[in-house]
Each structure stands twice: as C-alpha cells, then as structure tokens.
Amino acid sequence: MPVSPGAIPPPPPGYPPYAGGAEPKKKRGLLIAAIALAVIMVLCVGGGVVTFLTLRNAESGEGAKEPAVAVDEFLTAVYKDRDAGKAADHVCAASRDDKKIAAKVAEVEKYAATYQNPRFKWTTPKVDNQTGDRATVSTRITMTTADEKVADQDLRFTVVQKTGWWVCEVA
C-alpha cells in the first residue's frame, strides 16, 4: 500500500524536537563542600576577631602593688632614668602609646640639655580617690637647676588595676 503524500500530516509547528535524554544530575557534593568551606572560613575569621578584641587590652607583666607606687615608678622612669621603655612598662595597655611616651622623655632630655644640671623631684604621690579598680593620684613635680631656677607642675594621674596598678592617664 502506497502511502499518499497527504495521508500523514506534518507535525504541528511550535513543538521543539525531541531532546533525547533526561536532565543531568546536579553535583551536590560540590555544593556541600563549598558551603562547608564558607562556614569554616566564617568561624576562623570570627575566632580571629574575637581573639584580637580580647587580647588587645591585655596587660603584659605585673603592675605595681599600690596606685601611688605605680605613679612613683612611672615618674622615676621618665624623669630620672629617662627611659621610654621603662616608662611604657608602667602604662596600661589601653593608653600605651610608645610615640607619646618617647616624646615626653625627649622633652625631659631637652630640659637637661637646655638648663644647667636640672634635677627633678616630686612629692610622695597621694591617692586622692580610690574606687575598686580605679584610683586618682596626685603629686607635684619640681625642677631645680644649678643656677637656682625652680619650676613646679601639679600632675593628676588616673591609675587602674588589672594585673596590678597601671598608669592610664596624666593630666
């Protein structure tokens, strides 16, 4: 039986041709590995930030046993020893700025070079106010030169207790 050309209608237009196979399976292993890697990275970065914030104000070493002793040791390091490193050892971590401490020691050195044999002394540091882990200490520094020039300066220190007493502010 011959088939006439008009007997089988052509397929209607608009239908896509047959694709042949099913969709390929998605690779779930790669997605799970990427998510696990992202979670690990977040935990590591978060842990690093927490560690930094925790340790940035940590005191290294032991502070003084009393607030007045902390001030006296700080003044000795700055005015008598003229050693910025020793002075920094008596300053709390939150206020420790090596450049500012070195600048103060340089200022004292400048006095030593400008005036005839300057001598620095101070009154015994006095605790004016102490509440828990914070104290205010005051003293008067006197500079005397060989040619009998005298200069006084009243200073007030804020001292805090962490691993001993540390100088945090000088006013």
PDB file of all heavy atoms in Angstrom, residues 40-59:
ATOM      1  N   ILE A  40      33.544  27.211  57.559  1.00  0.00           N
ATOM      2  CA  ILE A  40      34.856  27.144  58.220  1.00  0.00           C
ATOM      3  C   ILE A  40      35.551  28.511  58.159  1.00  0.00           C
ATOM      4  O   ILE A  40      36.136  28.957  59.142  1.00  0.00           O
ATOM      5  CB  ILE A  40      35.719  26.030  57.578  1.00  0.00           C
ATOM      6  CG1 ILE A  40      35.143  24.657  57.948  1.00  0.00           C
ATOM      7  CG2 ILE A  40      37.174  26.145  58.009  1.00  0.00           C
ATOM      8  CD1 ILE A  40      35.759  23.497  57.191  1.00  0.00           C
ATOM      9  N   MET A  41      35.482  29.166  57.017  1.00  0.00           N
ATOM     10  CA  MET A  41      36.115  30.491  56.876  1.00  0.00           C
ATOM     11  C   MET A  41      35.471  31.503  57.838  1.00  0.00           C
ATOM     12  O   MET A  41      36.167  32.285  58.481  1.00  0.00           O
ATOM     13  CB  MET A  41      36.003  30.996  55.439  1.00  0.00           C
ATOM     14  CG  MET A  41      36.860  30.211  54.456  1.00  0.00           C
ATOM     15  SD  MET A  41      38.614  30.320  54.813  1.00  0.00           S
ATOM     16  CE  MET A  41      38.900  32.029  54.498  1.00  0.00           C
ATOM     17  N   VAL A  42      34.160  31.495  57.939  1.00  0.00           N
ATOM     18  CA  VAL A  42      33.469  32.419  58.848  1.00  0.00           C
ATOM     19  C   VAL A  42      33.885  32.147  60.292  1.00  0.00           C
ATOM     20  O   VAL A  42      34.155  33.075  61.059  1.00  0.00           O
ATOM     21  CB  VAL A  42      31.932  32.303  58.681  1.00  0.00           C
ATOM     22  CG1 VAL A  42      31.196  33.010  59.806  1.00  0.00           C
ATOM     23  CG2 VAL A  42      31.513  32.882  57.339  1.00  0.00           C
ATOM     24  N   LEU A  43      33.972  30.886  60.675  1.00  0.00           N
ATOM     25  CA  LEU A  43      34.378  30.544  62.039  1.00  0.00           C
ATOM     26  C   LEU A  43      35.820  30.972  62.315  1.00  0.00           C
ATOM     27  O   LEU A  43      36.121  31.501  63.386  1.00  0.00           O
ATOM     28  CB  LEU A  43      34.207  29.048  62.292  1.00  0.00           C
ATOM     29  CG  LEU A  43      32.764  28.546  62.374  1.00  0.00           C
ATOM     30  CD1 LEU A  43      32.739  27.022  62.486  1.00  0.00           C
ATOM     31  CD2 LEU A  43      32.036  29.182  63.533  1.00  0.00           C
ATOM     32  N   CYS A  44      36.710  30.761  61.373  1.00  0.00           N
ATOM     33  CA  CYS A  44      38.119  31.154  61.566  1.00  0.00           C
ATOM     34  C   CYS A  44      38.262  32.668  61.678  1.00  0.00           C
ATOM     35  O   CYS A  44      38.944  33.171  62.571  1.00  0.00           O
ATOM     36  CB  CYS A  44      38.973  30.627  60.414  1.00  0.00           C
ATOM     37  SG  CYS A  44      39.235  28.850  60.480  1.00  0.00           S
ATOM     38  N   VAL A  45      37.642  33.396  60.769  1.00  0.00           N
ATOM     39  CA  VAL A  45      37.725  34.858  60.807  1.00  0.00           C
ATOM     40  C   VAL A  45      37.070  35.388  62.077  1.00  0.00           C
ATOM     41  O   VAL A  45      37.619  36.247  62.760  1.00  0.00           O
ATOM     42  CB  VAL A  45      37.086  35.472  59.543  1.00  0.00           C
ATOM     43  CG1 VAL A  45      36.941  36.970  59.673  1.00  0.00           C
ATOM     44  CG2 VAL A  45      37.918  35.125  58.315  1.00  0.00           C
ATOM     45  N   GLY A  46      35.923  34.855  62.425  1.00  0.00           N
ATOM     46  CA  GLY A  46      35.235  35.282  63.656  1.00  0.00           C
ATOM     47  C   GLY A  46      36.074  35.001  64.890  1.00  0.00           C
ATOM     48  O   GLY A  46      36.189  35.831  65.784  1.00  0.00           O
ATOM     49  N   GLY A  47      36.692  33.834  64.945  1.00  0.00           N
ATOM     50  CA  GLY A  47      37.565  33.495  66.078  1.00  0.00           C
ATOM     51  C   GLY A  47      38.761  34.420  66.160  1.00  0.00           C
ATOM     52  O   GLY A  47      39.168  34.833  67.245  1.00  0.00           O
ATOM     53  N   GLY A  48      39.329  34.768  65.018  1.00  0.00           N
ATOM     54  CA  GLY A  48      40.463  35.689  64.996  1.00  0.00           C
ATOM     55  C   GLY A  48      40.081  37.065  65.504  1.00  0.00           C
ATOM     56  O   GLY A  48      40.822  37.688  66.273  1.00  0.00           O
ATOM     57  N   VAL A  49      38.930  37.555  65.091  1.00  0.00           N
ATOM     58  CA  VAL A  49      38.464  38.874  65.542  1.00  0.00           C
ATOM     59  C   VAL A  49      38.205  38.860  67.046  1.00  0.00           C
ATOM     60  O   VAL A  49      38.612  39.776  67.762  1.00  0.00           O
ATOM     61  CB  VAL A  49      37.195  39.294  64.763  1.00  0.00           C
ATOM     62  CG1 VAL A  49      36.543  40.516  65.384  1.00  0.00           C
ATOM     63  CG2 VAL A  49      37.545  39.560  63.304  1.00  0.00           C
ATOM     64  N   VAL A  50      37.552  37.833  67.541  1.00  0.00           N
ATOM     65  CA  VAL A  50      37.283  37.735  68.980  1.00  0.00           C
ATOM     66  C   VAL A  50      38.591  37.675  69.772  1.00  0.00           C
ATOM     67  O   VAL A  50      38.742  38.341  70.796  1.00  0.00           O
ATOM     68  CB  VAL A  50      36.387  36.509  69.289  1.00  0.00           C
ATOM     69  CG1 VAL A  50      36.334  36.222  70.780  1.00  0.00           C
ATOM     70  CG2 VAL A  50      34.989  36.733  68.748  1.00  0.00           C
ATOM     71  N   THR A  51      39.551  36.908  69.293  1.00  0.00           N
ATOM     72  CA  THR A  51      40.846  36.810  69.968  1.00  0.00           C
ATOM     73  C   THR A  51      41.544  38.160  69.990  1.00  0.00           C
ATOM     74  O   THR A  51      42.064  38.586  71.020  1.00  0.00           O
ATOM     75  CB  THR A  51      41.741  35.765  69.273  1.00  0.00           C
ATOM     76  OG1 THR A  51      41.068  34.511  69.309  1.00  0.00           O
ATOM     77  CG2 THR A  51      43.086  35.650  69.948  1.00  0.00           C
ATOM     78  N   PHE A  52      41.532  38.860  68.866  1.00  0.00           N
ATOM     79  CA  PHE A  52      42.159  40.186  68.809  1.00  0.00           C
ATOM     80  C   PHE A  52      41.498  41.145  69.794  1.00  0.00           C
ATOM     81  O   PHE A  52      42.181  41.835  70.549  1.00  0.00           O
ATOM     82  CB  PHE A  52      42.067  40.766  67.391  1.00  0.00           C
ATOM     83  CG  PHE A  52      42.470  42.201  67.312  1.00  0.00           C
ATOM     84  CD1 PHE A  52      43.808  42.555  67.367  1.00  0.00           C
ATOM     85  CD2 PHE A  52      41.524  43.205  67.206  1.00  0.00           C
ATOM     86  CE1 PHE A  52      44.193  43.882  67.313  1.00  0.00           C
ATOM     87  CE2 PHE A  52      41.891  44.528  67.148  1.00  0.00           C
ATOM     88  CZ  PHE A  52      43.244  44.877  67.204  1.00  0.00           C
ATOM     89  N   LEU A  53      40.185  41.202  69.798  1.00  0.00           N
ATOM     90  CA  LEU A  53      39.481  42.120  70.688  1.00  0.00           C
ATOM     91  C   LEU A  53      39.707  41.775  72.153  1.00  0.00           C
ATOM     92  O   LEU A  53      39.765  42.655  73.006  1.00  0.00           O
ATOM     93  CB  LEU A  53      37.985  42.126  70.372  1.00  0.00           C
ATOM     94  CG  LEU A  53      37.611  42.708  69.007  1.00  0.00           C
ATOM     95  CD1 LEU A  53      36.114  42.542  68.758  1.00  0.00           C
ATOM     96  CD2 LEU A  53      38.010  44.167  68.897  1.00  0.00           C
ATOM     97  N   THR A  54      39.849  40.506  72.447  1.00  0.00           N
ATOM     98  CA  THR A  54      40.082  40.073  73.824  1.00  0.00           C
ATOM     99  C   THR A  54      41.487  40.422  74.287  1.00  0.00           C
ATOM    100  O   THR A  54      41.679  40.894  75.411  1.00  0.00           O
ATOM    101  CB  THR A  54      39.857  38.560  73.956  1.00  0.00           C
ATOM    102  OG1 THR A  54      38.526  38.261  73.547  1.00  0.00           O
ATOM    103  CG2 THR A  54      40.064  38.095  75.376  1.00  0.00           C
ATOM    104  N   LEU A  55      42.468  40.219  73.438  1.00  0.00           N
ATOM    105  CA  LEU A  55      43.860  40.364  73.855  1.00  0.00           C
ATOM    106  C   LEU A  55      44.451  41.746  73.631  1.00  0.00           C
ATOM    107  O   LEU A  55      45.524  42.042  74.143  1.00  0.00           O
ATOM    108  CB  LEU A  55      44.730  39.330  73.130  1.00  0.00           C
ATOM    109  CG  LEU A  55      44.424  37.880  73.454  1.00  0.00           C
ATOM    110  CD1 LEU A  55      45.325  36.973  72.642  1.00  0.00           C
ATOM    111  CD2 LEU A  55      44.592  37.613  74.936  1.00  0.00           C
ATOM    112  N   ARG A  56      43.779  42.625  72.886  1.00  0.00           N
ATOM    113  CA  ARG A  56      44.410  43.906  72.581  1.00  0.00           C
ATOM    114  C   ARG A  56      44.615  44.778  73.804  1.00  0.00           C
ATOM    115  O   ARG A  56      45.512  45.606  73.832  1.00  0.00           O
ATOM    116  CB  ARG A  56      43.626  44.656  71.522  1.00  0.00           C
ATOM    117  CG  ARG A  56      42.327  45.228  72.024  1.00  0.00           C
ATOM    118  CD  ARG A  56      41.638  45.990  70.961  1.00  0.00           C
ATOM    119  NE  ARG A  56      40.345  46.394  71.451  1.00  0.00           N
ATOM    120  CZ  ARG A  56      39.609  47.290  70.871  1.00  0.00           C
ATOM    121  NH1 ARG A  56      40.023  47.856  69.781  1.00  0.00           N
ATOM    122  NH2 ARG A  56      38.448  47.601  71.373  1.00  0.00           N
ATOM    123  N   ASN A  57      43.812  44.639  74.834  1.00  0.00           N
ATOM    124  CA  ASN A  57      44.000  45.431  76.049  1.00  0.00           C
ATOM    125  C   ASN A  57      44.592  44.599  77.180  1.00  0.00           C
ATOM    126  O   ASN A  57      44.514  44.987  78.334  1.00  0.00           O
ATOM    127  CB  ASN A  57      42.667  46.039  76.506  1.00  0.00           C
ATOM    128  CG  ASN A  57      42.254  47.189  75.624  1.00  0.00           C
ATOM    129  OD1 ASN A  57      43.105  47.862  75.051  1.00  0.00           O
ATOM    130  ND2 ASN A  57      40.963  47.414  75.504  1.00  0.00           N
ATOM    131  N   ALA A  58      45.166  43.484  76.841  1.00  0.00           N
ATOM    132  CA  ALA A  58      45.756  42.628  77.869  1.00  0.00           C
ATOM    133  C   ALA A  58      47.049  43.245  78.380  1.00  0.00           C
ATOM    134  O   ALA A  58      47.848  43.754  77.619  1.00  0.00           O
ATOM    135  CB  ALA A  58      46.019  41.241  77.310  1.00  0.00           C
ATOM    136  N   GLU A  59      47.219  43.214  79.667  1.00  0.00           N
ATOM    137  CA  GLU A  59      48.441  43.722  80.278  1.00  0.00           C
ATOM    138  C   GLU A  59      49.495  42.631  80.232  1.00  0.00           C
ATOM    139  O   GLU A  59      49.206  41.472  80.452  1.00  0.00           O
ATOM    140  CB  GLU A  59      48.180  44.128  81.740  1.00  0.00           C
ATOM    141  CG  GLU A  59      47.063  45.139  81.921  1.00  0.00           C
ATOM    142  CD  GLU A  59      47.278  46.440  81.195  1.00  0.00           C
ATOM    143  OE1 GLU A  59      48.422  46.784  80.833  1.00  0.00           O
ATOM    144  OE2 GLU A  59      46.293  47.142  80.966  1.00  0.00           O
TER     145      GLU A  59
END
